[in-house]
Every structure is written in structure tokens, then in C-alpha cells.
């Protein structure tokens, strides 16, 4: 899917074909759309390929000959909503700055792009490329904060469920949230590095009026990174606590089985004596049975009161 938007003095309008000064938004492009970007718009094929690579990390790439700049920014997304997995991951979003156009390329529809589309003409101008890029980074940082708050609520709900019933599903949800925070932490660090490179102004010209916006983006990114580290530490402690609880429960079960095994072994000893071909006193059925019952009851009382089994 390819969309074209342009900001003018009258407002923002959606175009049928790209014009100079417009924004080209491309989501999960087909082969024909990729060829259109490379052949008609003039985007470098490797820039398109990098923007669609799920394993691509945040960075800046620049081509001196065509004077094109590629900025890869990681943004958060969610999967498993229908299945109940509630796991988060990060995807790359490519922003290409070139003469006459600003182009965004991604594999999936993102909340940040939708927010940018809604605010076109109000806070976003497609003709101001650097401000456009920083505004998009601001929406991505805000989305990180929203997802982190959702993870905090999900972890609290999972903790309450585990207190009622310590099952495997709750532990797997906890593991999924902890894995999501690892993805977030890695992406936030790489995004901060990319923003610092933007601030140097070597590949992308940073104007004085954009300094305040860049600072807002960095504040949001730093806050998201700190929240991610805090939540990651909390989830790690929760996991260790529940591992200790599971180990303690297992010890209780093994203790009970040990008591049962000891108690049930005593009647076998008594009946083994009466199974030998030797003369024993009181060779009656009731006598070994009575002895076995007394031994079982006495050993059970002693074991339950013993410090080793408390």
C-alpha cells in the first residue's frame, strides 16, 4: 500500500501521484510498488530492502552520490492479542529523506504512522523534513511509554492470577512480558544512539527551531528506557520468587512422600520376620498386625513432630 500526502498553505491533501514536497507512506509494499519507488521516485533499492528487513536495527545510512539519507527507527508493536499471548516486539521503520520527498517504509501498519497522518497540517508539515522525522520519533517514543504502561498492568494482573493459582500459563505470560522488555530495552538504546547522531547534524541538518523538539524526543526516550529497566527488574524478581515458591512446594511434596514411604516400610519388616521358617512367640495373625499398626502410628507421630520434617 502506498499513500501520498502533501501539506500546503490551504492544509493537507491526499494525492493520487507523488509531487515534490509530499510524504510517501508505504506499508508492506508489493513488488510493483517497490519497483515504483526505485524506478520512478528514485529511492535506492538497498534502502528499500533495509527498511523491510525485520532484523534491521536502528541506524543512519547516507548516500553521497544521490544525497539520500536513510534513518531506521525501531517502534513497538503487539502480537498475540487474539490468542492471549500479549507479547510485544519491535519492528524497523525506514524514513528516507531525499530531494523533494520524505518516504516512510515499513512491513506493518503502526500506531505512530497513523498518529502522524491524523496530525498532518496541525503539527506536521511534509515540507519540513527534519521536523517531520523528529515528530515521528516523538510519536514512537510516546508509543513506547504506552506499551510499557500496558506491560505494567499485564504484569500486575498476572501476579494476581499466580497468587490464586500457580499454573504454567501464568508463568509463560510472565516470561513473555519479560522477553518483551528485553526487545524494548535493546531498541530504545539503538534509537537513542540514532537520535544522538541526528543531533550532530552531519547526515541530517538540524535547525535551531528543531532543537526543542529533539530535546522532547530525548526526554521521552530516556523516560521509556528507565521505565523499561525498572519493569524488567521487577519481573525478574517476580520470576525468581515464583521459582522459589515452586521449589518449596516440591520440597513439601517430597517430604510427604518420604514420610509415607517410611511408615509403610515398617509393616513389611514385621511380616518378614513371620515369613521365615523359625519358631516365633505368639504365632497368631492378630499379633503382627497389632505390632504393625502400633509401629505405623508411633512412627507417623514421631515423624510429624520431628524438626527435620517440619
Amino acid at each position: 500500500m502506498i499513500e501520498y500526502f502533501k501539506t500546503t498553505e490551504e492544509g493537507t491533501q491526499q494525492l493520487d501521484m507523488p509531487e515534490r514536497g509530499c510524504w510517501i507512506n508505504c506499508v508492506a509494499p508489493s513488488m510493483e510498488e517497490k519497483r515504483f519507488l526505485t524506478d520512478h521516485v528514485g529511492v535506492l533499492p538497498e534502502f528499500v530492502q533495509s527498511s523491510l528487513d525485520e532484523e534491521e536495527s536502528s541506524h543512519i545510512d547516507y548516500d553521497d552520490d544521490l544525497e539520500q539519507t536513510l534513518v531506521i527507527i525501531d517502534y513497538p508493536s503487539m502480537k498475540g492479542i487474539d490468542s492471549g499471548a500479549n507479547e510485544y516486539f519491535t519492528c524497523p521503520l525506514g524514513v528516507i529523506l531525499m530531494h523533494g520527498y520524505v518516504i516512510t517504509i515499513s512491513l506493518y501498519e503502526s500506531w505512530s504512522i497513523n498518529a502522524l497522518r491524523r496530525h498532518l497540517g496541525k503539527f506536521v508539515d511534509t515540507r519540513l523534513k527534519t521536523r517531520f522525522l523528529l515528530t515521528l520519533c516523538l510519536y514512537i517514543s510516546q508509543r513506547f511509554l504506552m506499551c510499557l504502561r500496558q506491560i505494567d498492568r499485564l504484569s500486575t494482573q498476572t501476579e494476581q492470577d499466580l497468587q490464586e493459582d500457580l499454573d504454567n500459563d501464568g508463568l509463560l505470560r510472565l516470561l513473555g512480558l519479560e522477553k518483551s522488555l528485553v526487545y524494548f530495552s535493546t531498541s530504545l538504546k539503538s534509537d537513542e544512539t540514532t537520535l544522538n547522531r541526528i543531533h550532530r547534524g552531519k547526515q541530517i541538518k538540524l535547525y535551531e527551531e528543531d532543537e526543542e523538539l529533539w530535546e522532547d524526543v530525548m526526554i521521552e526516550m530516556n523516560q521509556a528506557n528507565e521505565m523499561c529497566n525498572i519493569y524488567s527488574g521487577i519481573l525478574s524478581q517476580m520470576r525468581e520468587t515464583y521459582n522459589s515458591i515452586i521449589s518449596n512446594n516440591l520440597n513439601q511434596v517430597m517430604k510427604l512422600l518420604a514420610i509415607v514411604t517410611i511408615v509403610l516400610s515398617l509393616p513389611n519388616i514385621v511380616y518378614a520376620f513371620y515369613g521365615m521358617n523359625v519358631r516365633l512367640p505368639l504365632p497368631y495373625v492378630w499379633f503382627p498386625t497389632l505390632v504393625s499398626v502400633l509401629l505405623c502410628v508411633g512412627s507417623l507421630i514421631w515423624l510429624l513432630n520431628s524438626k527435620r520434617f517440619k
Side-chain angles (χ1 to χ4, degrees), residues 24 41-48 50-51 58-73 93-105 129-130 132-134 136-137 194-195 197-207:
I24 302 176
V41 181
V43 182
L44 286 172
E46 52 267 30
F47 283 2
V48 177
S50 297
S51 301
S58 180
H59 68 277
I60 298 179
D61 198 359
Y62 181 75
D63 184 84
D64 294 326
D65 297 331
L66 298 178
E67 295 184 358
Q68 295 184 16
T69 303
L70 170 66
V71 181
I72 299 291
I73 299 293
L93 172 64
V95 183
I96 302 173
L97 306 179
M98 56 185 298
H99 286 300
Y101 305 105
V102 55
I103 305 165
T104 56
I105 304 175
K129 299 176 185 177
T130 304
F132 181 94
L133 174 62
L134 292 177
L136 177 60
C137 293
T194 301
L195 287 169
R197 291 190 60 188
I198 293 175
H199 189 253
R200 297 190 188 105
K202 294 182 178 180
Q203 290 86 7
I204 300 174
K205 186 175 182 180
L206 189 65
Y207 300 91

Side-chain angles (χ1 to χ4, degrees), residues 232-284:
S232 180
I234 292 174
L235 287 180
S236 179
Q237 291 179 0
M238 287 175 56
R239 178 173 51 82
E240 293 178 0
T241 301
Y242 286 119
N243 287 337
S244 300
I245 293 175
I246 292 173
S247 178
N248 185 57
N249 293 338
L250 180 61
N251 291 335
Q252 294 294 333
V253 173
M254 296 302 296
K255 187 187 302 182
L256 178 61
L257 292 177
I259 293 175
V260 173
T261 302
I262 293 174
V263 171
L264 294 181
S265 64
L266 296 177
N268 294 329
I269 298 175
V270 175
Y271 286 111
F273 283 112
Y274 279 86
M276 295 185 296
N277 294 324
V278 295
R279 183 181 297 278
L280 294 174
L282 299 176
Y284 305 105

Side-chain angles (χ1 to χ4, degrees), residues 157-176:
Q157 181 62 43
T158 303
E159 182 182 5
Q160 294 175 355
D161 295 339
L162 288 174
Q163 289 177 358
E164 297 177 358
D165 184 12
L166 192 60
D167 57 351
N168 292 332
D169 293 337
L171 295 175
L172 290 176
R173 287 198 304 270
L174 204 64
L175 177 62

